[in-house]
Amino acid sequence: MCAKIVRLESPEPRAAPPAKSWEHFPHGADVGVRGLGPTREAAFEQAAYALTAALVEPERVEPKDEIEIVCEAPNDELLLVDWLNAIIYEMATRRTLFGRYAVRIEGEKLYGRAWGEPIDIARHEPGVEIKGATYTALRVAQEANGRWVAQCVVDV
Amino acid sequence: MDLAKLDRVSAFEWHIAPRAGMHVPAVIYADEDLVGDMDDKVYEQVTNVARLPGIVTASYAMPDAHWGYGFPIGGVAAFDPAGGGVISAGGVGFDISCGVRTMLTGLTRTEIEAHKVELADALFAKVPAGVGSTGRIRLDPEQMDAMLAGGARWALSHGYGEPADLERIEEGGAMQGARPELVSPKAKTRQRDEMGTLGSGNHYLEVQEVAAVYDADTAAIFGLSLGGVVVSIHCGSRGLGHQIGTEYLRDMAIAADREGISLPDRELACAPINSPVGQRYLGAMRAGINCALANRQIIGHLTREVFATLFPQARLELLFDVSHNTCKVERHKVDGEPRDLYIHRKGATRAFGPGHSDLPDALRPFGQPVLIGGSMGTGSYVLAGTAASEARAFSSACHGAGRRMSRHQALKTWRGRQVVDDLAERGILVRSKSARGVAEEAPGAYKDVAAVVDASDAAGLARKVAKLIPLVCIKG
């Protein structure tokens, strides 16, 4: 499960967001989020950008405020779902959108940071609220070419 | 879906015989076009559900079935605890007890038309809708638990609604067996600011006109007459339900992994009804049902306040409030014997037939109102449960149109402003804070709800009573 903590074990903020390496894939009523990257961490970060993009254009979100997220799960796939669900929870309870992410994974633990700002309906024009990350089309794996993929469907 | 993989029983009923671990057959109710358009994933999911322990009679897919999470959306399945039956968080869904409530206004379209813009603006101002919106009600921990135990009854006791509402809500407005203490602090925190909010996506509040009547006797009993105006509200248990779904899905998935239970799809994670996890989920999920019932009761009250200001002569009476994401214990006959079964309806509406003891006296001879939501531009339907529906799919019917296009594709196809303008030209006033949300919900992104309703009627799941078309639509 994920919990916010005050320890500063997560990676340092980046000056600029990494290049886009995420996509949405179709799922009947909902949205599939897929992050790709040279490392598992990068794929998790990109999956989080895809999550943000399911309701708002990420570049519209100013990375003003920072939160920390720590998750622990027995395998990579549950860890991805926990990471995305933690972001969904923070978005919902803080009424905040996040536009930048950083992830470090050690063993079964994920140390993440998210930067964002309170929702501004007029400026962000958010679409649909996200209810939760699901186990549907859930996959975290390193492909033959070495690239990592982290994906699942989110219920909206 | 490949029709060759199905056994055609009638023009509206298709079977998949048990194979490879299926305990029961799978049954799809739909016409040939609807089945043909269904995703192959529906086949996979409806047969996977048939592989779960303790399933009784069959795994069903309604005419609006589409690819869901573990269960298809539009899936119905009954489990017997005595036979090792399970309860599945995925079989209920994230939006626990999402449903529709329809209120009669006693007004006609002509009366509404003169004040339609004011009405749309006033409803939009009164009912919080959309991403990040907050309600005006804040519950302390004690009040939160009381709400989770009392549902619409709790809302009524706090001044929201009228006593007569309760008999028109499933479970008399309060789901028994709710265990608020099994709802996590996180789920309660997520609900803190969301009481009385509509949410977003396909949720809506609509002012609708009765545009067609198919069964005059039942329509008269339901209070529906041609040209009459009703208000329908589609929403659920908000953040609390989403968080319960998230947490228990995880608990069940990990428990299954730990116990070496092999699931065809991790999203099917479930627990025996008579197990600690199963019982905990049941108590929390029932609290989620009460949250949804309270939420719709509050929004119903806000709607009444708006009408009282603009139409002082109007008296809004509740026709019915019915959920389409639930698991409930119901007594059904199986091979002539009554059995208490745990009926999962994931995107499927309960449809009790005439004579059912849970129906209020006035409705009992005619069957339960079955409220089917459509898209902004097409319309919605009121059906009634039939005597045959129990034998078809444990008294269940469809729940809506279902999408035919992804949100992503809809965004590329339409502009929100244009959708609003087009609908306004057709006399439908849309109010939403999100142009993107409106584009994603464009009428063209949905399947033809009429086909789904006709198939439900023809298959004997429920019978058509009336069609409703939108005049005002408040979207999240």
Side-chain angles (χ1 to χ4, degrees):
Chain A
M1 296 294 279
C2 292
K4 250 177 330 89
I5 57 152
V6 286
R7 290 179 297 152
L8 296 176
E9 296 183 17
S10 39
E12 287 306 306
R14 293 205 171 93
K20 174 179 181 276
S21 181
W22 56 264
E23 60 194 14
H24 290 149
F25 60 93
H27 171 275
D30 295 306
V31 184
V33 298
R34 178 180 292 139
L36 303 160
T39 63
R40 191 171 41 154
E41 284 86 347
F44 273 52
E45 289 171 4
Q46 291 292 336
Y49 287 109
L51 178 77
T52 291
L55 80 160
V56 67
E57 292 167 24
E59 49 275 20
R60 289 194 189 199
V61 182
E62 291 287 327
K64 291 177 186 164
D65 308 323
E66 175 187 344
I67 64 156
E68 288 204 49
I69 289 171
V70 176
C71 308
E72 186 169 4
N75 59 59
D76 282 351
E77 292 182 336
L78 281 180
L79 196 61
L80 175 68
V81 171
D82 282 357
W83 161 237
L84 297 177
N85 275 328
I87 297 167
I88 291 166
Y89 179 82
E90 297 297 338
M91 284 198 292
T93 53
R94 295 170 185 267
R95 305 272 184 276
T96 290
L97 296 169
F98 299 105
R100 199 164 310 168
Y101 299 97
V103 166
R104 183 162 60 84
I105 298 174
E106 280 179 19
E108 295 186 347
K109 271 193 161 176
L110 177 152
Y111 302 91
R113 286 185 178 187
W115 293 266
E117 61 174 333
I119 295 175
D120 178 335
I121 299 293
R123 186 158 52 81
H124 294 133
E125 290 196 74
V128 69
E129 183 181 62
I130 299 172
K131 295 172 184 166
T134 78
Y135 302 119
T136 296
L138 172 59
R139 187 166 168 256
V140 176
Q142 191 171 19
E143 296 175 327
N145 59 8
R147 186 178 67 167
W148 281 84
V149 57
Q151 67 167 54
C152 73
V153 170
V154 295
D155 191 354
V156 299
Chain B
M1 188 184 295
D2 181 3
L3 297 176
K5 294 198 291 188
L6 311 174
D7 299 323
R8 183 181 187 276
V9 175
S10 75
F12 297 95
E13 185 173 342
W14 309 75
H15 286 200
I16 303 161
R19 69 195 64 176
M22 288 168 65
H23 304 294
V24 292
V27 176
I28 300 171
Y29 291 108
D31 65 29
E32 192 168 319
D33 287 344
L34 288 169
V35 178
D37 285 346
M38 282 180 193
D39 197 299
D40 284 335
K41 289 282 183 186
V42 173
Y43 181 95
E44 187 182 314
Q45 293 190 325
V46 76
T47 51
N48 279 344
V49 170
R51 295 184 170 96
L52 293 177
I55 186 167
V56 174
T57 310
S59 162
Y60 298 101
M62 299 291 107
D64 51 337
H66 51 282
W67 181 21
Y69 311 101
F71 277 56
I73 297 166
V76 176
F79 296 87
D80 187 348
V86 294
I87 186 162
S88 164
V92 171
F94 282 92
D95 199 358
I96 295 167
S97 205
C98 184
V100 182
R101 107 166 357 204
T102 295
M103 303 165 86
L104 310 171
T105 69
L107 300 168
T108 63
R109 175 168 185 166
T110 317
E111 290 170 286
I112 290 283
E113 283 295 342
H115 303 283
K116 199 161 72 172
V117 173
E118 288 166 85
L119 178 61
D121 291 341
L123 287 169
F124 186 49
K126 191 81 169 180
V127 179
V131 176
S133 61
T134 55
R136 293 169 187 83
I137 302 164
R138 298 288 179 283
L139 303 180
D140 66 28
E142 222 167 87
Q143 292 168 322
M144 177 70 74
D145 283 1
M147 181 275 289
L148 294 175
R153 285 181 184 269
W154 171 87
L156 179 67
S157 70
H158 285 73
Y160 302 102
E162 298 168 3
D165 294 340
L166 295 181
E167 70 165 17
R168 297 298 182 113
I169 304 172
E170 287 184 294
E171 327 305 336
M175 185 74 219
Q176 298 302 303
R179 303 274 304 275
E181 75 277 14
L182 297 176
V183 177
S184 73
K186 283 179 85 172
K188 291 172 183 173
T189 300
R190 205 164 156 183
Q191 189 61 21
R192 194 181 48 204
D193 301 326
E194 296 195 351
M195 287 310 296
T197 63
L198 204 53
S200 64
N202 62 3
H203 292 172
Y204 59 75
L205 183 152
E206 283 190 352
V207 180
Q208 301 162 324
E209 176 192 7
V210 180
V213 168
Y214 309 103
D215 174 343
D217 291 345
T218 306
I221 292 296
F222 285 3
L224 302 170
S225 56
L226 214 52
V229 168
V230 303
V231 176
S232 293
I233 296 161
H234 176 215
C235 64
S237 49
R238 311 294 299 112
L240 183 126
H242 309 163
Q243 192 66 25
I244 292 172
T246 297
E247 292 171 5
Y248 279 92
L249 195 61
R250 186 182 196 277
D251 282 356
M252 289 178 177
I254 288 183
D257 276 353
R258 200 172 45 226
E259 287 162 32
I261 297 172
S262 145
L263 294 166
D265 175 349
R266 187 146 42 182
E267 197 77 24
L268 278 174
C270 53
I273 294 160
N274 290 328
S275 70
V277 179
Q279 288 296 308
R280 283 204 304 276
Y281 174 66
L282 198 56
M285 185 266 299
R286 286 170 172 163
I289 290 177
N290 281 330
C291 182
L293 298 182
N295 201 44
R296 288 197 290 272
Q297 183 71 10
I298 292 166
I299 295 174
H301 174 78
L302 299 177
T303 305
R304 281 179 171 138
E305 287 190 337
V306 169
F307 273 78
T309 306
L310 291 174
F311 304 96
Q313 77 280 23
R315 195 167 167 275
L316 271 63
E317 289 179 25
L318 182 54
L319 166 57
F320 210 68
D321 182 302
V322 61
S323 302
H324 47 234
N325 282 356
T326 58
C327 175
K328 291 185 173 172
V329 182
E330 294 170 15
R331 181 161 293 183
H332 290 281
K333 277 191 178 168
V334 180
D335 300 328
E337 291 296 319
R339 284 164 75 177
D340 289 329
L341 302 172
Y342 286 68
I343 314 291
H344 290 67
R345 295 189 182 89
K346 171 73 192 87
T349 311
R350 184 148 86 177
F352 283 152
H356 197 284
S357 59
D358 280 10
L359 297 178
D361 293 345
L363 300 179
R364 194 171 299 134
F366 297 86
Q368 176 214 303
V370 177
L371 309 172
I372 307 302
S375 72
M376 291 184 284
T378 51
S380 302
Y381 287 83
V382 178
L383 290 79
T386 64
S389 63
E390 182 173 28
R392 295 280 190 280
F394 297 109
S395 302
S396 309
C398 61
H399 88 305
R403 294 188 74 91
R404 73 174 181 86
M405 187 187 283
S406 71
R407 292 182 176 278
H408 182 70
Q409 188 61 35
L411 266 185
K412 288 204 288 191
T413 311
W414 291 287
R415 289 279 165 273
R417 189 70 246 167
Q418 191 62 45
V419 172
V420 171
D421 290 347
D422 290 350
L423 288 169
E425 263 184 36
R426 292 167 48 195
I428 303 167
L429 300 184
V430 177
R431 295 288 183 272
S432 173
K433 287 177 186 160
S434 169
R436 173 172 170 165
V438 170
E440 291 182 6
E441 290 289 318
Y446 280 86
K447 291 182 201 157
D448 179 9
V449 68
V452 165
V453 165
D454 286 344
S456 292
D457 183 298
L461 301 170
R463 68 181 190 282
K464 272 165 60 172
V465 175
K467 178 181 181 180
L468 311 171
I469 57 166
L471 302 174
V472 171
C473 179
I474 311 299
K475 288 297 282 184

